[in-house]
Amino acid sequence: MPVALVGTFTTAVTVAGAVMWLGLDLLHVHGIRHKQQISSKVLFDLVKLSFAVVAGLGGLVALVVAYRKQRTEENSALRENTKLHSDRFTAAVAQLGNTSPAVQLGGVHALAGLADDAPTSHLRQTCIDVLCAYLRLPSDPYPGDAPEHAEALKAFRAIREVRHTILRLIGSHLRDGSVVSWQGHDFDFTDVVFDYGDFGHARFIGGTVSFNNARFEGGTVDFQGAHFEGGIVTFGGARFVNGAVRFGAAEFKGGRVIFGDAQFEGGTVAFRGAHFGDGIVAFDGARFGGGMVDFRYIWFERGAISLAGARIEGGIVDLHGARLKKGWVDLTGARVEGGTVSFEDALLGDGIVSFDDAQLKSGTLSFQGAQLKGGTLSFQGAQLEGGTLSFDRVSFEGCVVGFPDTQFDGSEVSFSNATGKRPSDLPDGLALHLS
């Protein structure tokens, strides 16, 4: 600080002298030996101007001192708040680690309040990380309702209440209108077992939310009406055993929702009525042994739904009534063997639906009643070796439908009551019945 003040004062004197000299120079006064060219009044005014500049610079020095003092006080307050936060954090974590579910529940609320009061975003993220870490801790499975399991059932329900409270608090802080928003932060639910989750109308506008390797065993995990704009939500390797994950009426304006290598053994993942303005929902490499992925009545303007390399060995992937204005539905390299993929009553505008290199071994691929008004429907290199491919009642109105290098070997291909232009590259043995 003393060095800064001396430097500022020296600068002030130098500037004042420069102003004085400039004024004399502009009046053509180049030295004291020259004939006097200005009056004493003008010279006095120049002196006053010089001292006014010095006074202004002195005010600047005062402002610098005041600013430095304010910064020092702010840093001191931040250190004090951080210390207080640390003390509260230690106490809350101790509560969360207690063996009593009631004390743990108090720790959950304490950590949530601490996250709201955190002086920095980093400290808030730390509180969120601890809450998520609690959910990742191993928990005892449902013990059953038998009388001999009464105590175990009581303990199970108590711990479940603590876990559900954490999920409720996280969901409420991701909605608009929350007093303190946690939007844009990261949430790590890796390996968590879910039988509940309320993220309805949450906004995912940044950060990463991971459900990788999570297990959905029952109940409902709700993303109804959620808003995805930026960020990533991943379900990589997750197992859907039962229950439902609902994205109904969700809005995708960006970001990615990834189900890569997920396993669907039962239950439902539903996107019914979702609006895809942009973004990606990907099931690349997923395996469908049962259950349903429901895309019925989605509105698709841009972006992509990808099931590239998926194995549909059971269950249903349903795009009934979907409205594909633009964008891309990709089943490149998918294998359908015993399941159903349905585009019934869908409307294909200018988008692309690709079954390139896909395999239909058994099961059903249905476009019944669809309106193919534009875009491209491609089966290049597909192997149709069994099952049913149905274009019954389809209206071909400008969509480019191609089967180049497609192998038809035992599949039942039906165009009953279809209307419009015959698709290209069909073998002569396959008749297109037009009404």
Side-chain angles (χ1 to χ4, degrees), residues 203-257:
R203 290 178 64 89
F204 298 90
I205 57 175
T208 299
V209 182
S210 172
F211 293 90
N212 291 340
N213 300 317
R215 184 180 174 95
F216 297 84
E217 294 190 338
T220 299
V221 179
D222 191 1
F223 293 87
Q224 292 275 105
H227 183 96
F228 297 86
E229 187 171 355
I232 303 174
V233 180
T234 62
F235 292 81
R239 292 183 64 189
F240 297 84
V241 180
N242 207 339
V245 180
R246 302 191 304 181
F247 291 86
E251 188 168 5
F252 297 83
K253 289 189 174 181
R256 292 179 290 169
V257 181

Short mmCIF file of all heavy atoms in Angstrom, two decimals, residues 203-257:
data_model
loop_
_atom_site.label_atom_id
_atom_site.label_comp_id
_atom_site.label_asym_id
_atom_site.label_seq_id
_atom_site.Cartn_x
_atom_site.Cartn_y
_atom_site.Cartn_z
N ARG A 203 -35.13 -28.26 -14.89
CA ARG A 203 -34.42 -27.67 -16.03
C ARG A 203 -32.96 -28.10 -15.99
O ARG A 203 -32.24 -27.80 -15.04
CB ARG A 203 -34.53 -26.14 -16.00
CG ARG A 203 -35.92 -25.62 -16.29
CD ARG A 203 -35.98 -24.10 -16.19
NE ARG A 203 -35.14 -23.47 -17.20
CZ ARG A 203 -35.57 -23.14 -18.43
NH1 ARG A 203 -36.80 -23.41 -18.79
NH2 ARG A 203 -34.76 -22.55 -19.27
N PHE A 204 -32.57 -28.82 -17.04
CA PHE A 204 -31.18 -29.26 -17.17
C PHE A 204 -30.53 -28.38 -18.23
O PHE A 204 -30.67 -28.62 -19.44
CB PHE A 204 -31.12 -30.74 -17.56
CG PHE A 204 -31.73 -31.65 -16.53
CD1 PHE A 204 -33.08 -31.99 -16.59
CD2 PHE A 204 -30.96 -32.15 -15.49
CE1 PHE A 204 -33.64 -32.83 -15.63
CE2 PHE A 204 -31.52 -32.98 -14.53
CZ PHE A 204 -32.86 -33.32 -14.60
N ILE A 205 -29.88 -27.32 -17.79
CA ILE A 205 -29.36 -26.31 -18.71
C ILE A 205 -27.83 -26.28 -18.71
O ILE A 205 -27.23 -25.35 -19.21
CB ILE A 205 -29.92 -24.92 -18.38
CG1 ILE A 205 -29.60 -24.52 -16.94
CG2 ILE A 205 -31.42 -24.88 -18.61
CD1 ILE A 205 -30.03 -23.10 -16.59
N GLY A 206 -27.23 -27.28 -18.17
CA GLY A 206 -25.78 -27.35 -18.13
C GLY A 206 -25.35 -28.43 -17.15
O GLY A 206 -26.17 -29.08 -16.51
N GLY A 207 -24.08 -28.65 -17.08
CA GLY A 207 -23.58 -29.65 -16.16
C GLY A 207 -23.82 -31.06 -16.69
O GLY A 207 -24.31 -31.27 -17.79
N THR A 208 -23.49 -32.04 -15.87
CA THR A 208 -23.63 -33.45 -16.22
C THR A 208 -24.42 -34.17 -15.14
O THR A 208 -24.14 -34.02 -13.95
CB THR A 208 -22.25 -34.11 -16.37
OG1 THR A 208 -21.52 -33.46 -17.42
CG2 THR A 208 -22.40 -35.59 -16.71
N VAL A 209 -25.43 -34.94 -15.56
CA VAL A 209 -26.21 -35.76 -14.64
C VAL A 209 -26.00 -37.21 -15.06
O VAL A 209 -26.33 -37.59 -16.18
CB VAL A 209 -27.70 -35.40 -14.69
CG1 VAL A 209 -28.49 -36.25 -13.69
CG2 VAL A 209 -27.90 -33.91 -14.40
N SER A 210 -25.43 -38.01 -14.17
CA SER A 210 -25.07 -39.38 -14.52
C SER A 210 -25.94 -40.38 -13.77
O SER A 210 -25.96 -40.40 -12.53
CB SER A 210 -23.59 -39.65 -14.19
OG SER A 210 -23.29 -41.03 -14.34
N PHE A 211 -26.65 -41.23 -14.56
CA PHE A 211 -27.34 -42.40 -14.04
C PHE A 211 -26.63 -43.67 -14.53
O PHE A 211 -27.24 -44.73 -14.62
CB PHE A 211 -28.79 -42.41 -14.51
CG PHE A 211 -29.64 -41.30 -13.94
CD1 PHE A 211 -29.74 -40.08 -14.59
CD2 PHE A 211 -30.36 -41.48 -12.77
CE1 PHE A 211 -30.53 -39.06 -14.09
CE2 PHE A 211 -31.15 -40.46 -12.26
CZ PHE A 211 -31.24 -39.25 -12.91
N ASN A 212 -25.37 -43.55 -14.86
CA ASN A 212 -24.64 -44.69 -15.41
C ASN A 212 -24.67 -45.87 -14.44
O ASN A 212 -24.41 -45.72 -13.25
CB ASN A 212 -23.18 -44.31 -15.70
CG ASN A 212 -23.07 -43.32 -16.85
OD1 ASN A 212 -23.98 -43.20 -17.66
ND2 ASN A 212 -21.96 -42.62 -16.93
N ASN A 213 -24.98 -47.04 -15.02
CA ASN A 213 -25.03 -48.29 -14.26
C ASN A 213 -26.04 -48.28 -13.12
O ASN A 213 -25.98 -49.13 -12.22
CB ASN A 213 -23.64 -48.66 -13.72
CG ASN A 213 -22.61 -48.85 -14.81
OD1 ASN A 213 -22.89 -49.48 -15.83
ND2 ASN A 213 -21.42 -48.28 -14.63
N ALA A 214 -26.96 -47.31 -13.14
CA ALA A 214 -28.02 -47.30 -12.14
C ALA A 214 -28.99 -48.46 -12.43
O ALA A 214 -29.03 -49.02 -13.53
CB ALA A 214 -28.77 -45.97 -12.17
N ARG A 215 -29.78 -48.79 -11.44
CA ARG A 215 -30.74 -49.89 -11.57
C ARG A 215 -32.12 -49.37 -11.18
O ARG A 215 -32.30 -48.84 -10.09
CB ARG A 215 -30.33 -51.06 -10.68
CG ARG A 215 -31.21 -52.30 -10.81
CD ARG A 215 -30.71 -53.40 -9.89
NE ARG A 215 -31.60 -54.55 -9.89
CZ ARG A 215 -31.43 -55.63 -10.65
NH1 ARG A 215 -30.38 -55.69 -11.46
NH2 ARG A 215 -32.27 -56.65 -10.58
N PHE A 216 -33.07 -49.54 -12.11
CA PHE A 216 -34.44 -49.07 -11.88
C PHE A 216 -35.31 -50.31 -11.64
O PHE A 216 -35.62 -51.06 -12.57
CB PHE A 216 -34.92 -48.26 -13.08
CG PHE A 216 -34.12 -47.01 -13.31
CD1 PHE A 216 -32.93 -47.06 -14.02
CD2 PHE A 216 -34.53 -45.80 -12.78
CE1 PHE A 216 -32.17 -45.91 -14.21
CE2 PHE A 216 -33.77 -44.65 -12.97
CZ PHE A 216 -32.59 -44.71 -13.68
N GLU A 217 -35.69 -50.50 -10.39
CA GLU A 217 -36.32 -51.75 -9.99
C GLU A 217 -37.82 -51.63 -9.78
O GLU A 217 -38.50 -52.64 -9.66
CB GLU A 217 -35.66 -52.29 -8.71
CG GLU A 217 -34.21 -52.69 -8.91
CD GLU A 217 -33.65 -53.43 -7.71
OE1 GLU A 217 -34.22 -53.25 -6.62
OE2 GLU A 217 -32.68 -54.17 -7.87
N GLY A 218 -38.35 -50.45 -9.69
CA GLY A 218 -39.78 -50.31 -9.46
C GLY A 218 -40.13 -48.85 -9.23
O GLY A 218 -39.26 -47.98 -9.23
N GLY A 219 -41.39 -48.59 -9.04
CA GLY A 219 -41.81 -47.22 -8.82
C GLY A 219 -41.65 -46.39 -10.08
O GLY A 219 -41.53 -46.91 -11.20
N THR A 220 -41.60 -45.07 -9.92
CA THR A 220 -41.52 -44.16 -11.05
C THR A 220 -40.43 -43.13 -10.83
O THR A 220 -40.37 -42.51 -9.77
CB THR A 220 -42.87 -43.44 -11.26
OG1 THR A 220 -43.89 -44.40 -11.54
CG2 THR A 220 -42.77 -42.46 -12.43
N VAL A 221 -39.58 -42.97 -11.82
CA VAL A 221 -38.63 -41.86 -11.86
C VAL A 221 -39.17 -40.89 -12.90
O VAL A 221 -39.27 -41.23 -14.08
CB VAL A 221 -37.21 -42.33 -12.21
CG1 VAL A 221 -36.26 -41.14 -12.26
CG2 VAL A 221 -36.72 -43.35 -11.19
N ASP A 222 -39.50 -39.69 -12.46
CA ASP A 222 -40.32 -38.79 -13.26
C ASP A 222 -39.53 -37.61 -13.78
O ASP A 222 -38.97 -36.83 -13.01
CB ASP A 222 -41.49 -38.30 -12.38
CG ASP A 222 -42.55 -37.57 -13.19
OD1 ASP A 222 -42.41 -37.48 -14.42
OD2 ASP A 222 -43.53 -37.12 -12.59
N PHE A 223 -39.47 -37.49 -15.13
CA PHE A 223 -38.93 -36.32 -15.80
C PHE A 223 -40.02 -35.61 -16.60
O PHE A 223 -39.75 -34.91 -17.56
CB PHE A 223 -37.79 -36.72 -16.75
CG PHE A 223 -36.56 -37.24 -16.09
CD1 PHE A 223 -36.43 -38.57 -15.77
CD2 PHE A 223 -35.50 -36.38 -15.78
CE1 PHE A 223 -35.28 -39.07 -15.16
CE2 PHE A 223 -34.35 -36.86 -15.17
CZ PHE A 223 -34.24 -38.21 -14.87
N GLN A 224 -41.27 -35.80 -16.21
CA GLN A 224 -42.40 -35.21 -16.95
C GLN A 224 -42.22 -33.70 -17.06
O GLN A 224 -42.01 -33.00 -16.07
CB GLN A 224 -43.71 -35.50 -16.22
CG GLN A 224 -44.13 -36.97 -16.24
CD GLN A 224 -44.89 -37.33 -17.49
OE1 GLN A 224 -44.35 -37.98 -18.38
NE2 GLN A 224 -46.11 -36.91 -17.58
N GLY A 225 -42.32 -33.19 -18.29
CA GLY A 225 -42.24 -31.75 -18.49
C GLY A 225 -40.88 -31.15 -18.24
O GLY A 225 -40.75 -29.92 -18.19
N ALA A 226 -39.85 -31.98 -18.10
CA ALA A 226 -38.50 -31.45 -17.87
C ALA A 226 -37.99 -30.74 -19.12
O ALA A 226 -38.47 -30.96 -20.24
CB ALA A 226 -37.55 -32.58 -17.48
N HIS A 227 -37.02 -29.87 -18.91
CA HIS A 227 -36.47 -29.03 -19.99
C HIS A 227 -34.98 -29.31 -20.10
O HIS A 227 -34.24 -29.15 -19.13
CB HIS A 227 -36.73 -27.56 -19.66
CG HIS A 227 -36.28 -26.61 -20.72
ND1 HIS A 227 -37.13 -26.11 -21.68
CD2 HIS A 227 -35.06 -26.07 -20.98
CE1 HIS A 227 -36.45 -25.31 -22.47
NE2 HIS A 227 -35.20 -25.27 -22.07
N PHE A 228 -34.55 -29.75 -21.29
CA PHE A 228 -33.15 -30.08 -21.53
C PHE A 228 -32.58 -29.10 -22.54
O PHE A 228 -33.01 -29.06 -23.70
CB PHE A 228 -33.00 -31.51 -22.05
CG PHE A 228 -33.47 -32.56 -21.08
CD1 PHE A 228 -34.81 -32.93 -21.03
CD2 PHE A 228 -32.58 -33.15 -20.20
CE1 PHE A 228 -35.25 -33.89 -20.14
CE2 PHE A 228 -33.01 -34.11 -19.30
CZ PHE A 228 -34.35 -34.48 -19.27
N GLU A 229 -31.66 -28.28 -22.09
CA GLU A 229 -31.03 -27.30 -22.98
C GLU A 229 -29.56 -27.18 -22.58
O GLU A 229 -29.19 -26.37 -21.75
CB GLU A 229 -31.74 -25.95 -22.88
CG GLU A 229 -31.24 -24.93 -23.90
CD GLU A 229 -32.08 -23.67 -23.92
OE1 GLU A 229 -33.12 -23.62 -23.22
OE2 GLU A 229 -31.72 -22.73 -24.64
N GLY A 230 -28.75 -28.00 -23.22
CA GLY A 230 -27.35 -28.05 -22.84
C GLY A 230 -27.12 -29.11 -21.78
O GLY A 230 -28.04 -29.66 -21.19
N GLY A 231 -25.89 -29.44 -21.56
CA GLY A 231 -25.56 -30.44 -20.58
C GLY A 231 -25.80 -31.85 -21.11
O GLY A 231 -26.24 -32.07 -22.22
N ILE A 232 -25.51 -32.83 -20.26
CA ILE A 232 -25.61 -34.23 -20.63
C ILE A 232 -26.28 -34.99 -19.49
O ILE A 232 -25.93 -34.83 -18.33
CB ILE A 232 -24.21 -34.84 -20.89
CG1 ILE A 232 -23.48 -34.07 -21.99
CG2 ILE A 232 -24.33 -36.31 -21.29
CD1 ILE A 232 -22.04 -34.53 -22.18
N VAL A 233 -27.25 -35.83 -19.85
CA VAL A 233 -27.87 -36.76 -18.90
C VAL A 233 -27.59 -38.16 -19.43
O VAL A 233 -28.00 -38.49 -20.55
CB VAL A 233 -29.38 -36.53 -18.76
CG1 VAL A 233 -29.97 -37.51 -17.77
CG2 VAL A 233 -29.66 -35.10 -18.31
N THR A 234 -26.87 -38.97 -18.67
CA THR A 234 -26.44 -40.28 -19.17
C THR A 234 -27.02 -41.41 -18.34
O THR A 234 -27.06 -41.35 -17.12
CB THR A 234 -24.90 -40.39 -19.17
OG1 THR A 234 -24.42 -40.28 -17.82
CG2 THR A 234 -24.27 -39.30 -20.01
N PHE A 235 -27.49 -42.46 -19.08
CA PHE A 235 -27.97 -43.70 -18.47
C PHE A 235 -27.14 -44.87 -18.99
O PHE A 235 -27.64 -45.98 -19.15
CB PHE A 235 -29.44 -43.92 -18.82
CG PHE A 235 -30.41 -42.93 -18.21
CD1 PHE A 235 -30.61 -41.69 -18.79
CD2 PHE A 235 -31.11 -43.24 -17.06
CE1 PHE A 235 -31.50 -40.78 -18.25
CE2 PHE A 235 -32.00 -42.34 -16.50
CZ PHE A 235 -32.20 -41.10 -17.10
N GLY A 236 -25.88 -44.63 -19.28
CA GLY A 236 -25.02 -45.66 -19.85
C GLY A 236 -24.94 -46.89 -18.97
O GLY A 236 -24.62 -46.80 -17.78
N GLY A 237 -25.26 -48.06 -19.55
CA GLY A 237 -25.17 -49.30 -18.79
C GLY A 237 -26.24 -49.48 -17.74
O GLY A 237 -26.18 -50.44 -16.96
N ALA A 238 -27.24 -48.59 -17.70
CA ALA A 238 -28.30 -48.72 -16.70
C ALA A 238 -29.17 -49.94 -16.99
O ALA A 238 -29.28 -50.39 -18.13
CB ALA A 238 -29.16 -47.45 -16.67
N ARG A 239 -29.80 -50.49 -15.94
CA ARG A 239 -30.68 -51.64 -16.09
C ARG A 239 -32.09 -51.24 -15.66
O ARG A 239 -32.30 -50.73 -14.54
CB ARG A 239 -30.20 -52.82 -15.25
CG ARG A 239 -28.89 -53.43 -15.73
CD ARG A 239 -28.53 -54.64 -14.90
NE ARG A 239 -29.52 -55.70 -15.04
CZ ARG A 239 -29.53 -56.80 -14.27
NH1 ARG A 239 -28.63 -56.96 -13.32
NH2 ARG A 239 -30.45 -57.73 -14.46
N PHE A 240 -33.03 -51.47 -16.56
CA PHE A 240 -34.43 -51.16 -16.29
C PHE A 240 -35.16 -52.49 -16.10
O PHE A 240 -35.48 -53.20 -17.04
CB PHE A 240 -35.03 -50.36 -17.45
CG PHE A 240 -34.37 -49.02 -17.65
CD1 PHE A 240 -33.20 -48.92 -18.38
CD2 PHE A 240 -34.89 -47.88 -17.06
CE1 PHE A 240 -32.57 -47.70 -18.56
CE2 PHE A 240 -34.27 -46.66 -17.22
CZ PHE A 240 -33.11 -46.56 -17.96
N VAL A 241 -35.36 -52.82 -14.83
CA VAL A 241 -35.92 -54.12 -14.47
C VAL A 241 -37.43 -54.03 -14.34
O VAL A 241 -38.16 -54.94 -14.72
CB VAL A 241 -35.29 -54.62 -13.15
CG1 VAL A 241 -35.86 -55.97 -12.76
CG2 VAL A 241 -33.78 -54.70 -13.29
N ASN A 242 -37.90 -52.92 -13.82
CA ASN A 242 -39.33 -52.75 -13.60
C ASN A 242 -39.61 -51.27 -13.41
O ASN A 242 -38.71 -50.45 -13.43
CB ASN A 242 -39.78 -53.55 -12.37
CG ASN A 242 -41.24 -53.96 -12.47
OD1 ASN A 242 -42.02 -53.36 -13.21
ND2 ASN A 242 -41.62 -54.99 -11.72
N GLY A 243 -40.87 -50.94 -13.20
CA GLY A 243 -41.23 -49.55 -12.96
C GLY A 243 -41.22 -48.73 -14.23
O GLY A 243 -41.28 -49.26 -15.35
N ALA A 244 -41.13 -47.42 -14.09
CA ALA A 244 -41.23 -46.52 -15.24
C ALA A 244 -40.30 -45.33 -15.07
O ALA A 244 -40.13 -44.81 -13.96
CB ALA A 244 -42.67 -46.03 -15.40
N VAL A 245 -39.71 -44.91 -16.19
CA VAL A 245 -38.98 -43.65 -16.27
C VAL A 245 -39.72 -42.82 -17.30
O VAL A 245 -39.83 -43.21 -18.47
CB VAL A 245 -37.51 -43.85 -16.69
CG1 VAL A 245 -36.79 -42.51 -16.76
CG2 VAL A 245 -36.80 -44.77 -15.71
N ARG A 246 -40.26 -41.67 -16.88
CA ARG A 246 -41.18 -40.91 -17.74
C ARG A 246 -40.58 -39.57 -18.14
O ARG A 246 -40.25 -38.75 -17.29
CB ARG A 246 -42.51 -40.69 -17.01
CG ARG A 246 -43.19 -42.00 -16.58
CD ARG A 246 -44.60 -41.77 -16.10
NE ARG A 246 -44.66 -40.80 -15.00
CZ ARG A 246 -45.78 -40.44 -14.38
NH1 ARG A 246 -46.93 -40.96 -14.76
NH2 ARG A 246 -45.75 -39.57 -13.39
N PHE A 247 -40.49 -39.37 -19.46
CA PHE A 247 -40.06 -38.09 -20.03
C PHE A 247 -41.23 -37.44 -20.78
O PHE A 247 -41.01 -36.62 -21.67
CB PHE A 247 -38.89 -38.31 -21.00
CG PHE A 247 -37.60 -38.71 -20.36
CD1 PHE A 247 -37.33 -40.04 -20.09
CD2 PHE A 247 -36.64 -37.76 -20.02
CE1 PHE A 247 -36.13 -40.43 -19.52
CE2 PHE A 247 -35.44 -38.14 -19.44
CZ PHE A 247 -35.19 -39.48 -19.19
N GLY A 248 -42.45 -37.81 -20.47
CA GLY A 248 -43.61 -37.29 -21.19
C GLY A 248 -43.65 -35.78 -21.18
O GLY A 248 -43.43 -35.13 -20.16
N ALA A 249 -43.96 -35.20 -22.37
CA ALA A 249 -44.07 -33.74 -22.53
C ALA A 249 -42.78 -33.00 -22.20
O ALA A 249 -42.79 -31.78 -22.03
CB ALA A 249 -45.22 -33.18 -21.69
N ALA A 250 -41.67 -33.73 -22.12
CA ALA A 250 -40.38 -33.05 -21.91
C ALA A 250 -40.00 -32.27 -23.16
O ALA A 250 -40.45 -32.57 -24.26
CB ALA A 250 -39.29 -34.07 -21.57
N GLU A 251 -39.16 -31.27 -22.98
CA GLU A 251 -38.74 -30.41 -24.09
C GLU A 251 -37.22 -30.47 -24.23
O GLU A 251 -36.49 -30.20 -23.28
CB GLU A 251 -39.19 -28.97 -23.86
CG GLU A 251 -38.95 -28.08 -25.06
CD GLU A 251 -39.66 -26.74 -24.93
OE1 GLU A 251 -40.26 -26.48 -23.87
OE2 GLU A 251 -39.62 -25.95 -25.89
N PHE A 252 -36.78 -30.85 -25.44
CA PHE A 252 -35.36 -30.99 -25.71
C PHE A 252 -34.95 -29.90 -26.69
O PHE A 252 -35.31 -29.94 -27.87
CB PHE A 252 -35.05 -32.37 -26.30
CG PHE A 252 -35.36 -33.51 -25.37
CD1 PHE A 252 -36.64 -34.02 -25.26
CD2 PHE A 252 -34.37 -34.05 -24.58
CE1 PHE A 252 -36.92 -35.06 -24.39
CE2 PHE A 252 -34.63 -35.09 -23.70
CZ PHE A 252 -35.92 -35.59 -23.61
N LYS A 253 -34.22 -28.91 -26.20
CA LYS A 253 -33.72 -27.82 -27.05
C LYS A 253 -32.22 -27.88 -27.21
O LYS A 253 -31.61 -26.96 -27.74
CB LYS A 253 -34.13 -26.47 -26.47
CG LYS A 253 -35.62 -26.17 -26.59
CD LYS A 253 -35.92 -24.74 -26.20
CE LYS A 253 -37.38 -24.41 -26.46
NZ LYS A 253 -37.68 -22.99 -26.11
N GLY A 254 -31.64 -28.93 -26.76
CA GLY A 254 -30.20 -29.09 -26.83
C GLY A 254 -29.77 -30.13 -25.82
O GLY A 254 -30.59 -30.74 -25.14
N GLY A 255 -28.50 -30.36 -25.76
CA GLY A 255 -28.00 -31.33 -24.81
C GLY A 255 -28.20 -32.75 -25.33
O GLY A 255 -28.68 -32.99 -26.43
N ARG A 256 -27.85 -33.70 -24.47
CA ARG A 256 -27.92 -35.11 -24.86
C ARG A 256 -28.45 -35.95 -23.70
O ARG A 256 -28.09 -35.73 -22.55
CB ARG A 256 -26.53 -35.62 -25.27
CG ARG A 256 -26.00 -35.01 -26.56
CD ARG A 256 -24.62 -35.53 -26.90
NE ARG A 256 -23.61 -35.02 -25.98
CZ ARG A 256 -22.36 -35.48 -25.91
NH1 ARG A 256 -21.98 -36.48 -26.69
NH2 ARG A 256 -21.50 -34.94 -25.07
N VAL A 257 -29.30 -36.91 -24.05
CA VAL A 257 -29.75 -37.92 -23.10
C VAL A 257 -29.30 -39.25 -23.67
O VAL A 257 -29.76 -39.67 -24.74
CB VAL A 257 -31.28 -37.89 -22.92
CG1 VAL A 257 -31.71 -38.94 -21.90
CG2 VAL A 257 -31.73 -36.51 -22.45
#
